Amino acid sequence: MVTVEQLWRARCGHFWKIAVRYLRLLANSGFMFSLYIFIVAGGVYYQRWVKGLSDAFPAEWLLTAAFSILIARTPIRTFIQPADLVFLLPLEREMTRYFKRAVLYSALVQAIAILFAWAIAMPLFLQTVDRRPAVYAVVLFLLFMVKAWNLDAAWREHYVTESLPYKGLRVAVTAAFIGFLLFKAPWWTLCLIFLIMVALSLFVYHPLSKKHLLKWEVLLENEDRQLARFFRFANLITDVPALRNRVKPRRLLSMWTDVFPFGQASVFRLFYAKTFVRLGDYFGIWFRLTAVGAILILLLPDGWPQLVVAFMAMYLTAVQLLPMWRNGWEDGPALWFPTAPFLRLRGFLTVLSLILVAQSVILSVAVAAGRNGEAAGWALLICVGFSVAFTYGYAARKLGTAG
């Protein structure tokens, strides 16, 4: 008979066996090399940028927002599978040790992410918040503590169907603690928030697991979502047969696809436009990279740093949208269209170019917001030029060969 510990090790080991295979492919791809170049170049400029910051720069607000999101976001990997809702549900009491291992595993992975992010924030923290390395280390320890509280509370949220109020409360307390910590509030303020966290655990979150049953369907939905994120990342450089995308209505966003007329010549333009808006996280990737790029452009000084950020946002978006080409083709509705094969490539390239040009305009407007018309013009020229070159040069050649 398989024990709970053996089941956990088998599930976790199976995932990492697959993950290592894709990570090796990703490490040997040109995408990782390009990302490495961007990281090195960005690190050099980041140091210069930090040294040139004025006293009025809102570093505390920036760090509070970034680490509140990072710490309050607490996905818990359980490696639950659909059949478990039938075969393991009756053994929920015996699965306690399994779920404890899931929480500890998630804590370790997310602690590594916090450590990496805090290392990136070190120059900014030491330059603007506090120059003492000991304080930097103490803040890191307190961030780990808040993360542990979030993980414990987030696990209890799996016992209720409507968890949004509990998540909102947890995010608010987390942001308050980190904000008071970085703004150097009196020590008794932090102690008070810590006592509030303890009280919430004892009287709000822990009782959830005693009054309600564990929502296994929520665990399965969260597990599928996290697995899909990893597979989508691996899908940048290779086909991932296990990738399953969720279709979302997004009726308001779908309205812009009506610009394409009905007919054989436009069938794949409409198909890929709706794929971008409704399937998986393609629109989310475009929106997040566009928003982050625009915010960074607004924060940076006028000139070539803004152009570099705009180009990086364009490049990362284009690379991550390229796998959209395969959606619906091997086993989906695209096979049903009685159209010439070249229309598929033409339709995809049209949609991809429109998406990238729209991003180019938004990023150029962000550059223009700094009242630097020359830089905005260069940004528009570089971004639109990259959009055309990537779409009708690299993508057309690669996808035309792939068929």
Side-chain angles (χ1 to χ4, degrees), residues 306-350:
Q306 296 177 320
L307 303 182
V308 172
V309 169
F311 178 79
M312 288 176 60
M314 294 289 301
Y315 175 79
L316 293 174
T317 302
V319 170
Q320 294 188 70
L321 291 183
L322 208 55
M324 188 169 61
W325 160 260
R326 291 189 291 268
N327 282 114
W329 188 251
E330 288 82 1
D331 58 352
L335 292 171
W336 306 340
F337 299 139
T339 57
F342 75 91
L343 290 177
R344 177 196 174 201
L345 180 59
R346 180 189 296 177
F348 176 79
L349 295 179
T350 300

Side-chain angles (χ1 to χ4, degrees), residues 67-77 102-103 106-107 110 114 146-158 167 170-171 174 222 226 229:
F67 281 91
S68 294
I69 294 172
L70 181 63
I71 291 177
R73 185 180 177 276
T74 51
I76 297 176
R77 293 300 305 268
V103 174
S106 302
Q110 293 173 38
I114 292 174
V146 179
K147 185 60 165 182
W149 177 78
N150 270 271
L151 279 164
D152 179 69
W155 173 249
R156 312 292 170 172
E157 292 168 5
H158 288 92
K167 289 180 180 178
R170 178 165 55 83
V171 170
T174 299
N222 292 339
Q226 294 172 71
R229 285 198 185 101

